[in-house]
Amino acid sequence: MSFEERLEKIRSPKLQNQRETAIVLSAVEDTLRDEKHNQSPVAYFAALLALLSQAIIVPSNGTINKDLASSVVYLLDLVIAHVPTALLRSKFSQILTSLAPALTNQDAEASLLRSSIGCLESLLVAQDAAAWAQPQNQISPRRAMTGLLALASDQRPKVRKRAQEAITQVLKTPPPSPLLDHPAADMCAETALKTASDVLAASSTRKRGSRDAAQEKHQSGLLHALQLVKTVASASPGWPSKKIEPLCEFLMIISRSNNEYLAMGAFEVFEVMFTGMADTFSSSKLPRLMDAISELKPPQNDSQLLPPWLAVISRGYDVSAQISPEETFHKLPSLFVSFLVNCIPDSVIAEPSIFEEKILENLAQAAEDLLSVRYQAAWMEVFHVQVTLLEALRWRAYPLARNIVNTIGELRASDSFNGKNEADAVLGRAIQSMGPQAVLEILPLNLARSKKGQPGRAWLLPLLRENVINTNLTHFRSEFVPLSEAMYQRVIDLGESEKTVEIKIFETIVHQTWALFPGYCNLPLDLVTAFDQGFAELLSNLLYSQPELRTDICRALQTLVESNRKILVIEASEQELRFRSRLTKTDAQANLDHLAQYAGNLLAVLFNVYSQTLPHHRGHILQCINAYLSITPEK
């Protein structure tokens, strides 16, 4: 709509409250005709500015002529947008001084304030960098901006909204400058954040859960303050870079609020920040924003703050992928790891519902898909993701991650594969999470009865030694005791002939097999059923007959006692203990009571072996003796 069309619309009012404005416009136009002035925007502007000084301050009593002032400022708001920028710059002090009484008068009506804010917006948009450089304590654009910021928190919704719109428009229209941000952006950000922080601090001092009028007022004020923060953040090119860290810290505090409107308000601020940084001009701020959010990562057990943090960081990476797709892709494994570590609650692992089981299946499938040829260039990073997945899934990893273990096991067995260390890390974590029995079902050792086309996997034995823990001792008895016996029998069958490479291999396998025993004895899940009289006799015979196995057997027997004793002194609930080790203090005590039944016979064997052993080889035997003396029943 042109300038003349807008004036014509005022000349023909349809509503009663518009007639006063039409009368004022008619009077101004009569004055311009009488003085033979052209009816140009500048002429209207000068006439209205002169009339404003009469309407705002009445010399007799110092009050505002509300009807006249509202009409004059309304017309001034219409006209000022068509006045040359140079005039608005040169007359800045005069114009601001004329508007100031209306903007600062506590009794001013909302309609007068909205029109005054419109005038102020046009006036500020016209100012150049030199004007914005003037200090705030002078009649300057910065001082005018301070007034706008105050009105942006006004209790009247329409006034507050109009002031926020004006701030947005001013910040979106910076004067020509090499700087990315508007000259007033820092000041606006600092004021908005301080206002919000002050309201939050005042609200926090009140009794938690209080619903009195003062509390309601504080929450309402905080919502208004958040809206002001959002206003500054949404103005292109967005929140100033130097102020990003304190803003993120404040928003994360707000996002954990029990008040859904406050939490939603905090998310909306993050959203407008990310949206504003999606263009090339403002995208340089995104890395700093993402770093600030990443540094605010809450602890894994913070169920209140963790979900909003994840939602915010996810949205950030969504925008990052639009701006820098390749760089974001390189960060994908670490992001995946972060989500795996933080997004799977302990309760889902302990007792998942049918729906949650399906989610875990989908998660495992997504991780499995990363092992496709499509992602081969990033496999080393993908292996790190698999380690984290297995750690997060714990014993639920079997059978969910069965295919992952199988694929990586096959890769590891290939002579041409260069990522053996990374593959070993995945398989080691699988042994800890799934248990050795599950891993060996997927990747059999094939040592005792190897068949054509089934490669032996002796390379798994060192991995098992380093990672077996908190599993079934029965598996050692059924899998590795027979393997040890088979290998030892082959050594015997070869007689007293000179040791060949083959004999040395068999002997090594025997030693590696019994090197696994201490791991199986570290909090076994089935000690009471697995450790019986027959097994105790087997261990006693080996202590006598095979001195080279004494170290591993003594370490294992000692670990049986000490690992269960540690459970008894841990300060944790039964639920926490069951989740960590699938054993409770009751279970640990039952295990120690069971071992105590064999303590007498084992000590007799250990003392005999101790007397037959050279002094410098007795240390491990003595430590084992001390462990069983500590649980021997008193007679």
Side-chain angles (χ1 to χ4, degrees):
M1 188 180 295
S2 67
F3 176 64
E4 184 58 36
E5 287 174 337
R6 297 182 70 180
L7 291 179
E8 186 59 37
K9 188 175 180 180
I10 294 173
R11 294 184 188 113
S12 305
K14 295 181 180 180
L15 300 175
Q16 181 65 34
N17 60 359
Q18 295 174 342
R19 291 182 180 177
E20 179 70 23
T21 304
I23 293 171
V24 172
L25 176 60
S26 178
V28 168
E29 291 178 334
D30 288 343
T31 301
L32 293 177
R33 281 192 292 269
D34 291 344
E35 296 180 359
K36 297 180 181 181
H37 288 301
N38 292 329
Q39 293 186 356
S40 65
V42 173
Y44 277 101
F45 179 70
L48 288 168
L49 204 58
L51 190 57
L52 178 63
S53 61
Q54 301 174 30
I56 295 292
I57 303 296
V58 179
S60 60
N61 54 20
T63 60
I64 295 178
N65 185 333
K66 295 181 181 179
D67 292 337
L68 178 59
S70 295
S71 298
V72 171
V73 177
Y74 178 84
L75 290 170
L76 196 60
D77 184 20
L78 183 153
V79 169
I80 198 170
H82 300 275
V83 174
T85 299
L87 178 61
L88 295 180
R89 291 175 184 169
S90 63
K91 299 293 183 180
F92 177 84
S93 296
Q94 180 186 347
I95 299 169
L96 183 60
T97 302
S98 300
L99 286 173
L103 291 165
T104 57
N105 191 289
Q106 295 181 352
D107 297 324
E109 294 183 350
S111 58
L112 174 59
L113 283 174
R114 293 201 307 272
S115 298
S116 299
I117 291 169
C119 294
L120 195 56
E121 175 190 320
S122 298
L123 185 62
L124 290 174
V125 167
Q127 303 309 303
D128 57 16
W132 281 106
Q134 296 176 34
Q136 191 174 327
N137 57 5
Q138 296 181 10
I139 300 176
S140 63
R142 286 181 174 273
R143 188 169 183 176
M145 200 67 174
T146 302
L148 265 185
L149 290 166
L151 290 170
S153 297
D154 194 275
Q155 294 300 313
R156 290 163 288 187
K158 290 184 179 180
V159 174
R160 188 169 63 247
K161 181 181 179 182
R162 184 66 187 90
Q164 291 167 358
E165 290 172 349
I167 292 170
T168 299
Q169 189 58 37
V170 172
L171 293 179
K172 282 185 174 180
T173 319
S177 167
L179 300 176
L180 180 61
D181 295 319
H182 191 284
D186 278 358
M187 181 189 77
C188 292
E190 187 173 338
T191 302
L193 190 54
K194 185 179 186 306
T195 301
S197 299
D198 289 346
V199 176
L200 177 63
S203 178
S204 300
T205 59
R206 302 202 59 80
K207 184 178 179 181
R208 189 165 184 170
S210 172
R211 301 301 298 172
D212 59 18
Q215 181 72 5
E216 294 287 348
K217 183 179 179 180
H218 279 305
Q219 293 203 345
S220 176
L222 191 52
L223 283 170
H224 297 164
L226 263 179
Q227 186 61 40
L228 177 57
V229 170
K230 180 181 175 182
T231 297
V232 178
S234 63
S236 179
W239 194 266
S241 298
K242 296 178 181 179
K243 308 292 182 181
I244 283 177
E245 287 82 0
L247 174 64
C248 290
E249 187 173 355
F250 171 77
L251 292 177
M252 291 308 296
I253 294 173
I254 294 295
S255 65
R256 70 190 302 174
S257 170
N258 292 327
N259 186 315
E260 61 180 313
Y261 296 106
L262 289 176
M264 190 181 304
F267 286 128
E268 286 176 355
V269 176
F270 276 119
E271 177 62 30
V272 299
M273 290 174 70
F274 286 133
T275 302
M277 293 178 185
D279 64 77
T280 306
F281 182 63
S282 305
S283 61
S284 60
K285 294 182 179 181
L286 185 59
R288 185 164 186 169
L289 175 59
M290 294 302 296
D291 288 343
I293 296 171
S294 298
E295 289 176 3
L296 292 171
K297 184 175 76 171
Q300 185 178 353
N301 58 357
D302 191 336
S303 59
Q304 201 172 13
L305 190 53
L306 191 59
W309 179 83
L310 288 168
V312 169
I313 198 92
S314 298
R315 178 67 178 114
Y317 276 107
D318 179 23
V319 175
S320 178
Q322 299 173 36
I323 299 170
S324 307
E326 290 186 5
E327 184 177 344
T328 306
F329 176 74
H330 292 155
K331 295 179 180 178
L332 184 59
S334 60
L335 179 62
F336 203 120
V337 167
S338 178
F339 284 177
L340 285 174
V341 169
N342 293 292
C343 290
I344 303 180
D346 293 349
S347 59
V348 171
I349 300 300
E351 296 181 10
S353 64
I354 295 176
F355 175 70
E356 289 167 342
E357 285 181 345
K358 188 64 178 176
I359 293 176
L360 293 178
E361 289 176 11
N362 292 338
L363 186 60
Q365 184 61 55
E368 181 183 336
D369 291 343
L370 292 175
L371 291 171
S372 66
V373 177
R374 177 184 177 187
Y375 301 107
Q376 186 171 357
W379 268 358
M380 297 305 103
E381 290 79 11
V382 166
F383 283 179
H384 184 45
V385 171
Q386 309 297 358
V387 169
T388 307
L389 173 68
L390 290 164
E391 184 176 2
L393 292 178
R394 299 175 67 85
W395 63 88
R396 300 286 176 191
Y398 186 81
L400 292 175
R402 179 188 179 94
N403 291 341
I404 293 173
V405 173
N406 184 62
T407 300
I408 294 179
E410 294 299 327
L411 288 170
R412 171 61 174 80
S414 173
D415 293 335
S416 60
F417 184 64
N418 294 323
K420 286 183 169 54
N421 290 337
E422 291 76 9
D424 284 349
V426 178
L427 296 175
R429 187 67 245 188
I431 292 167
Q432 294 178 39
S433 296
M434 293 182 173
Q437 184 171 358
V439 172
L440 293 179
E441 284 180 9
I442 302 168
L443 302 170
L445 289 172
N446 295 329
L447 297 177
R449 299 181 183 86
S450 58
K451 297 180 181 179
K452 188 176 182 180
Q454 295 182 350
R457 296 188 177 91
W459 53 266
L460 269 173
L461 291 172
L463 281 178
L464 289 163
R465 182 191 66 228
E466 297 297 327
N467 294 284
V468 169
I469 186 174
N470 195 206
T471 189
N472 293 312
L473 182 57
T474 304
H475 181 249
F476 180 82
R477 292 188 61 179
S478 63
E479 176 78 17
F480 290 105
V481 170
L483 175 62
S484 171
E485 291 173 346
M487 295 296 107
Y488 189 68
Q489 187 60 46
R490 292 185 185 182
V491 174
I492 294 174
D493 292 343
L494 290 172
E496 299 295 329
S497 59
E498 183 180 350
K499 283 193 177 182
T500 62
V501 172
E502 189 176 13
I503 292 176
K504 290 180 180 179
I505 290 174
F506 295 148
E507 288 179 339
T508 300
I509 293 176
V510 171
H511 294 156
Q512 288 182 324
T513 298
W514 282 97
L516 307 180
F517 189 36
Y520 276 92
C521 291
N522 194 338
L523 287 179
L525 303 174
D526 58 349
L527 188 148
V528 173
T529 56
F531 198 96
D532 55 17
Q533 185 62 37
F535 192 51
E537 291 176 359
L538 170 66
L539 297 177
S540 298
N541 290 333
L542 289 173
L543 284 170
Y544 281 124
S545 62
Q546 297 193 43
E548 66 275 8
L549 301 181
R550 286 175 184 170
T551 299
D552 289 323
I553 294 175
C554 286
R555 280 183 53 226
L557 290 172
Q558 179 185 347
T559 302
L560 279 176
V561 175
E562 292 183 348
S563 61
N564 281 283
R565 289 174 69 91
K566 285 179 181 178
I567 291 290
L568 295 179
V569 298
I570 291 177
E571 294 183 2
S573 67
E574 294 288 279
Q575 184 178 1
E576 289 175 321
L577 287 174
R578 188 172 292 280
F579 181 76
R580 289 183 195 174
S581 57
R582 289 183 285 174
L583 291 174
T584 64
K585 292 187 177 182
T586 303
D587 297 327
Q589 187 59 58
N591 288 341
L592 291 173
D593 293 342
H594 180 75
L595 288 173
Q597 299 175 31
Y598 300 93
N601 291 335
L602 284 173
L603 283 169
V605 173
L606 289 168
F607 279 122
N608 286 333
V609 171
Y610 181 84
S611 65
Q612 300 170 11
T613 306
L614 294 174
H616 58 279
H617 291 308
R618 290 175 174 174
H620 54 276
I621 303 174
L622 182 59
Q623 291 174 356
C624 187
I625 289 172
N626 289 333
Y628 280 85
L629 284 173
S630 69
I631 62 169
T632 301
E634 295 182 5
K635 293 184 180 180

